[in-house]
Amino acid sequence: MDELYGAGVALVTPFHSDGTIDFAGLEKLIEHQISGGMDYLVSLGTTGEVATLSEDERKAVWAFTAEKVKGRVPLVAGIGGNNTAEIIHQLEQFDASGYAAVLSVSPYYNKPTQEGIFQHYKALAASSPLPLIIYNVPGRTGSNVSPETTVRLAKEVDNIVATKEASGSFEQFGKIIRDKPEGFLLISGDDSATLPLMALGGVGVISVVANAFPAEVATLARMCLDNRFEEARQLHSKLIRITELCFVEGNPAGVKAILHQLGICGPTVRLPLAGVGTGTLDHIVREVANLVG
């Protein structure tokens, strides 16, 4: 899966002020990513507010994204949830044209055991038309995919090719790198952890910040892949403040506010999310001005 090396971006789903999908904004965002040097795009990961989209809206976004990308970069589709049978149905119905892999978040709320997580992903992989990427984000799901379960999946299920790790545990990252089979990929799921995780042996990042600043995130990932860590540290430091602002009032409210400042799409999010407050917005305005000069 060479397509997953470097920088991927978890695309937001732009909305009009009335909450309907802004496809013109999505096209503008896609072009911003490709011109900025993103290695691949993720359509409807959790940053895309997929939990608030209907089945018809999901299909429309996936089809539109593939149509506009036209094979210029690889595409990954986010298809996950906490109902294994329903996710299998979505995978079986998914039109994989133009897509290279599926990113599937670990089941949330249910708090399954490690055996339950293993069996969930094994069942998904058996039905997936594409290679599968595990997404471990305990802060959102309420449960952790342990390194032992990740490695077990990597060794026993051929169609599972990578994990997007957002556990924040460098002990966990280290165990995965140590024990994983050759060819299984570790990808950062936190912008703030990209540099140190890649220093351990990770192959890249699926970024939120890259929605707004694709060139900088793509350059950071390439520097790390090339072992140019002194330069990477400087760029990492430059992005620290804007990364904080992306998440201080929740994702994707922060990055959508930044995208609005850049003139790419509006700041609207769907309930139960809310837009950032005026205090955070003031900080965003100043930091965007600082970064774009």
Side-chain angles (χ1 to χ4, degrees), residues 8 10 31 43 53 60 67 80 102-103 120 125 202 213 234 255 268 272 274 277 284:
E31 295 305 321
S43 177
L53 270 61
E67 176 189 348
V102 168
L103 174 69
H120 168 82
F213 297 102
Q234 295 175 31
V255 74
T268 302
I284 284 172

Side-chain angles (χ1 to χ4, degrees), residues 1-5 40 76 101-105 121 130-136 145 149-151 153-155 157-165 176 180-188 202-204 206:
M1 293 298 297
D2 291 345
E3 298 97 330
L4 300 179
Y5 278 72
Y40 61 99
V76 174
V102 168
L103 174 69
S104 194
V105 67
Y121 276 114
L130 297 170
L132 200 67
I133 306 166
I134 301 163
Y135 180 18
N136 182 36
V145 183
T149 297
T150 298
V151 170
L153 285 164
K155 289 181 175 179
V157 185
D158 291 341
N159 203 33
I160 294 180
V161 297
T163 182
K164 176 187 175 184
E165 259 290 332
I176 293 170
K180 72 179 184 64
E182 184 177 358
F184 183 80
L185 307 180
L186 175 63
I187 300 168
S188 175
V203 301
I206 295 176

Side-chain angles (χ1 to χ4, degrees), residues 32-264:
H32 181 57
Q33 301 307 309
I34 294 175
S35 65
M38 274 291 108
D39 294 297
Y40 61 99
L41 311 183
V42 178
S43 177
L44 296 186
T46 52
T47 296
E49 297 177 75
V50 64
T52 69
L53 270 61
S54 69
E55 180 179 357
D56 287 344
E57 287 175 325
R58 292 195 302 269
K59 289 179 178 179
V61 169
W62 283 323
F64 181 88
T65 301
E67 176 189 348
K68 296 303 177 184
V69 169
K70 294 180 179 143
R72 289 176 288 170
V73 294
L75 285 174
V76 174
I79 306 177
N82 64 348
N83 180 340
T84 305
E86 171 58 25
I87 301 308
I88 288 172
H89 174 73
Q90 289 184 31
L91 288 167
E92 291 172 343
Q93 297 298 311
F94 177 61
D95 181 358
S97 304
Y99 285 82
V102 168
L103 174 69
S104 194
V105 67
S106 179
Y108 46 82
Y109 186 79
N110 308 59
K111 291 191 175 181
T113 63
Q114 293 303 306
E115 184 63 25
I117 291 170
F118 175 84
Q119 294 297 338
H120 168 82
Y121 276 114
K122 183 178 179 181
L124 298 192
S127 298
S128 178
L130 297 170
L132 200 67
I133 306 166
I134 301 163
Y135 180 18
N136 182 36
V137 55
R140 286 180 176 266
T141 65
S143 63
N144 180 49
V145 183
S146 73
E148 292 78 14
T149 297
T150 298
V151 170
R152 183 185 174 197
L153 285 164
K155 289 181 175 179
E156 296 185 25
V157 185
D158 291 341
N159 203 33
I160 294 180
V161 297
T163 182
K164 176 187 175 184
E165 259 290 332
S167 65
S169 169
F170 282 88
E171 179 182 3
Q172 178 147 320
F173 303 159
K175 287 180 178 179
I176 293 170
I177 287 292
R178 182 192 66 193
D179 298 333
K180 72 179 184 64
E182 184 177 358
F184 183 80
L185 307 180
L186 175 63
I187 300 168
S188 175
D190 285 320
D191 280 281
S192 60
T194 300
L195 189 156
L197 184 144
M198 292 188 72
L200 283 172
V203 301
V205 60
I206 295 176
S207 170
V208 171
V209 175
N211 278 280
F213 297 102
E216 289 81 355
V217 174
T219 299
L220 175 64
R222 290 190 193 109
M223 286 174 174
C224 292
L225 286 173
D226 292 340
N227 292 314
R228 293 156 55 197
F229 285 105
E230 180 55 42
E231 295 171 82
R233 280 192 291 270
Q234 295 175 31
L235 186 49
H236 170 84
S237 295
K238 180 181 177 182
L239 294 172
I240 286 175
R241 181 57 176 153
I242 202 68
T243 299
E244 291 174 341
L245 290 169
C246 278
F247 299 100
V248 68
E249 291 194 44
N251 181 42
V255 74
K256 279 191 168 182
I258 297 167
L259 287 167
H260 189 220
Q261 291 301 310
L262 294 172
I264 294 169

